[in-house]
Amino acid sequence: MAFALDKVVPWGRSYEEYVRMFNLTERELEGRILGCGDGPASFNAEATQRGHSVISCDPIYQFTAAEIAQRIDEAYQQVIDQLGKNTEDYVWDLMPTPEAVGQTRMAAMRRFLDDFPRGVKEGRYVDASLPYLPFQDKEFDLALCSHFLFLYTEQLSQEFHLDSIIELCRVATEVRIFPLLNLGVNISAYVAPVTAALEQRGGRVEFRRVPYEFQKGAHTAMYIVS
Ligand SMILES: C[S@@+](CC[C@H](N)C(=O)[O-])C[C@H]1O[C@@H](n2cnc3c(N)ncnc32)[C@H](O)[C@@H]1O
């Protein structure tokens, strides 16, 4: 997936953001969780510190912490500039300026970078790429995918999306994906055909509003049980 890796920005959110994006309950957080495409998010680091069981997988984990830090630094100004140019596409209630977003995200990513070497040794950060995951059938209660599937609709095919979600369903009892918008802040054209294909295979697909909205209109997660 070198193509996706080049096109996808290494940018990470916090535990608190994951809890809201996926509307995670305390009970759900007690289960075995896979974060797929977690990149430099601090979800794993913070969840582990709270005693939860989280494994993250991402092709970026083939790199060292120093190499990932360099990629983050390279992406930082580009992301902040894009936010500044498209302010009308975002909700600025919790983080009022692009710089405030940058500070919050950098704090999460530093937390990830501090945890990464230890997490690799503990098997919590696994170098793996959709659509193939090195995990057993139903090894996880919940698989979460934040800001990768559907967001990169222009870069990744519909077939890649369907194969990836089928793979996530293989390794987890339930799969949640957020957001359902592409980078152009429109609902991804893949949502309807992928939903139909999953339902045809016997999956149950639901769309639930979650208590998180930064990209305007991105407030709904896809829940899949198969
Ligand atoms: C925009 S970041 C989102 C990071 C994190 N999930 C969050 O929301 O804060 C997208 C992540 O997708 C990862 N990625 C790229 N190709 C992938 C693939 N084939 N399978 C899984 N993850 C992939 C990238 O390395 C990157 O870390």
Side-chain angles (χ1 to χ4, degrees):
M1 284 313 302
F3 172 76
L5 202 53
D6 289 348
K7 301 280 174 194
V8 177
V9 178
W11 199 236
R13 291 162 188 80
S14 67
Y15 173 89
E16 185 269 332
E17 288 184 282
Y18 266 62
V19 168
R20 287 192 291 123
M21 290 188 292
F22 296 107
N23 214 357
L24 298 172
T25 63
E26 271 308 311
R27 196 192 161 128
E28 287 164 350
L29 284 160
E30 293 308 318
R32 296 159 304 165
I33 298 178
L34 172 68
C36 187
D38 271 354
S42 62
F43 175 63
N44 190 320
E46 293 184 73
T48 301
Q49 197 173 41
R50 288 163 191 253
H52 302 313
S53 163
V54 175
I55 288 182
S56 300
C57 65
D58 195 299
I60 209 174
Y61 301 153
Q62 69 190 267
F63 300 113
T64 63
E67 288 166 337
I68 298 173
Q70 191 187 334
R71 291 171 78 98
I72 292 168
D73 284 345
E74 285 162 8
Y76 181 86
Q77 204 51 50
Q78 183 196 336
V79 175
I80 300 305
D81 290 348
Q82 281 301 318
L83 288 173
K85 280 187 201 146
N86 300 291
T87 49
E88 67 286 357
D89 291 339
Y90 296 91
V91 178
W92 298 100
D93 54 352
L94 296 178
M95 296 176 283
T97 60
E99 289 68 30
V101 175
Q103 280 166 15
T104 305
R105 296 281 146 80
M106 281 310 287
M109 292 189 279
R110 276 194 209 102
R111 187 122 192 219
F112 158 81
L113 288 168
D114 287 347
D115 180 55
F116 184 64
R118 182 172 167 192
V120 169
K121 281 195 199 126
E122 292 176 354
R124 289 188 285 110
Y125 294 111
V126 177
D127 168 18
S129 304
L130 286 170
Y132 304 109
L133 299 177
F135 303 115
Q136 304 293 316
D137 292 357
K138 303 298 180 206
E139 190 173 327
F140 301 96
D141 299 306
L142 195 52
L144 308 174
C145 187
S146 151
H147 292 83
F148 176 57
L149 291 172
F150 297 125
L151 189 63
Y152 290 90
T153 288
E154 313 311 323
Q155 289 79 3
L156 300 163
S157 69
Q158 182 175 313
E159 187 188 10
F160 173 85
H161 277 72
L162 183 57
D163 290 348
S164 294
I165 298 172
I166 290 169
E167 179 71 343
L168 287 166
C169 289
R170 180 184 69 76
V171 302
T173 305
E174 183 176 333
V175 176
R176 295 184 191 171
I177 302 169
F178 180 92
L180 307 180
L181 303 193
N182 60 26
L183 288 167
V185 289
N186 297 306
I187 186 135
S188 163
Y190 298 153
V191 170
V194 165
T195 300
L198 292 169
E199 286 177 339
Q200 206 167 30
R201 295 172 56 91
R204 198 180 76 229
V205 183
E206 289 178 18
F207 298 93
R208 296 206 199 158
R209 187 147 183 157
V210 295
Y212 183 94
E213 185 177 1
F214 178 53
Q215 216 185 348
K216 241 180 223 170
H219 46 54
T220 301
M222 183 188 249
Y223 287 46
I224 308 135
V225 177
S226 63

